[in-house]
Amino acid sequence: TQLLEQSPQFLSIQEGENLTVYCNSSSVFSSLQWYRQEPGEGPVLLVTVVTGGEVKKLKRLTFQFGDARKDSSLHITAAQPGDTGLYLCAGAPRNTGKLIFGQGTTLQVKP
Amino acid sequence: DSGVTQTPKHLITATGQRVTLRCSPRSGDLSVYWYQQSLDQGLQFLIQYYNGEERAKGNILERFSAQQFPDLHSELNLSSLELGDSALYFCASRTGDGGNTEAFFGQGTRLTVV
């Protein structure tokens, strides 16, 4: 059972388009994180959302944490080829030390 | 550079063999996490250590084991290797035990079992 479900799993779009990636769970998380991974590298943290309903912006990326703290979304405006990569959400289920990841969304932005 | 060092970067071995993957966490980080990533897959959590003690376990096979040493480096031992164990193995370190701090990842060890 995947505790964190990401959708879509694959996304191929043209430069300039907008997109949204979703991360859903039936469990409550004290916080959720989004990481980006490039081929041959380890994931790198983009953002951590902590408060239910929180919205954080990182240039053209907007992250939202659901009010019930069970889901999060990543919205990219005017995608660029440099946004290509694997986007992963991650969180620690309450009262555990685990840091678990969703299965990831592979994004390809074509020029 | 994340500050997390994993060795070796690549490993090719035969079925049935045993290998050891090594991870040196960022200076000051007490938690080490191990993950397995197969082709086009997300990161599967294997195990977490905090300051030398096992803290949390994921879907780690009985053929796999890990430990964290007093100097905080960690080793992941994989034995009786099977073709399906071929994957990227990542370790990550964090300052504390849980919480919402950033996890810093090494560059991974690519294991190929032939």
Side-chain angles (χ1 to χ4, degrees):
Chain A
T1 304
Q2 189 74 28
L3 222 51
L4 285 170
E5 297 280 350
Q6 278 188 246
S7 61
Q9 287 196 40
F10 301 98
L11 203 48
S12 182
I13 61 172
Q14 293 295 134
E15 182 176 359
E17 291 183 13
N18 301 332
L19 66 116
T20 302
V21 176
Y22 299 93
C23 175
N24 295 298
S25 178
S26 57
S27 303
V28 174
F29 287 82
S30 55
S31 64
L32 280 178
Q33 297 179 321
W34 285 91
Y35 289 78
R36 179 166 168 246
Q37 184 181 16
E38 300 199 36
E41 303 288 329
V44 176
L45 180 69
L46 294 173
V47 79
T48 301
V49 284
V50 179
T51 308
E54 180 178 8
V55 176
K56 278 191 173 178
K57 292 196 174 186
L58 191 67
K59 296 182 182 177
R60 293 177 293 100
L61 279 59
T62 301
F63 304 85
Q64 186 158 8
F65 200 11
D67 290 341
R69 287 154 61 187
K70 292 182 178 182
D71 57 270
S72 181
S73 63
L74 157 60
H75 181 80
I76 301 179
T77 304
Q80 306 289 311
D83 296 327
T84 293
L86 177 66
Y87 289 83
L88 297 150
C89 67
R94 270 188 170 175
N95 303 320
T96 77
K98 300 178 183 183
L99 178 64
I100 62 167
F101 283 77
Q103 69 269 55
T105 295
T106 299
L107 171 64
Q108 181 188 43
V109 182
K110 292 181 273 192
Chain B
D1 182 9
S2 67
V4 178
T5 304
Q6 286 188 249
T7 57
K9 284 201 76 172
H10 303 275
L11 201 46
I12 302 174
T13 190
T15 54
Q17 294 299 303
R18 172 191 167 95
V19 297
T20 298
L21 312 184
R22 182 187 168 101
C23 170
S24 293
R26 272 192 340 151
S27 177
D29 284 357
L30 299 178
S31 270
V32 169
Y33 297 74
W34 284 98
Y35 294 89
Q36 180 191 59
Q37 186 175 42
S38 301
L39 198 61
D40 294 333
Q41 296 287 313
L43 293 158
Q44 296 297 315
F45 170 71
L46 295 177
I47 198 162
Q48 179 215 356
Y49 281 84
Y50 175 76
N51 203 21
E53 291 189 7
E54 182 184 304
R55 259 310 196 254
K57 242 178 175 175
N59 296 327
I60 187 167
L61 299 171
E62 283 191 17
R63 300 183 285 109
F64 296 1
S65 66
Q67 53 185 327
Q68 186 179 29
F69 295 87
D71 67 352
L72 301 177
H73 92 271
S74 179
E75 292 181 357
L76 179 67
N77 301 295
L78 315 176
S79 62
S80 303
L81 285 167
E82 302 174 359
L83 295 178
D85 297 327
S86 295
L88 263 172
Y89 291 84
F90 284 101
C91 93
S93 73
R94 293 171 106 182
T95 50
D97 179 17
N100 58 13
T101 56
E102 179 173 359
F104 292 87
F105 283 80
Q107 290 202 305
T109 293
R110 182 174 294 280
L111 173 67
T112 303
V113 183
V114 297

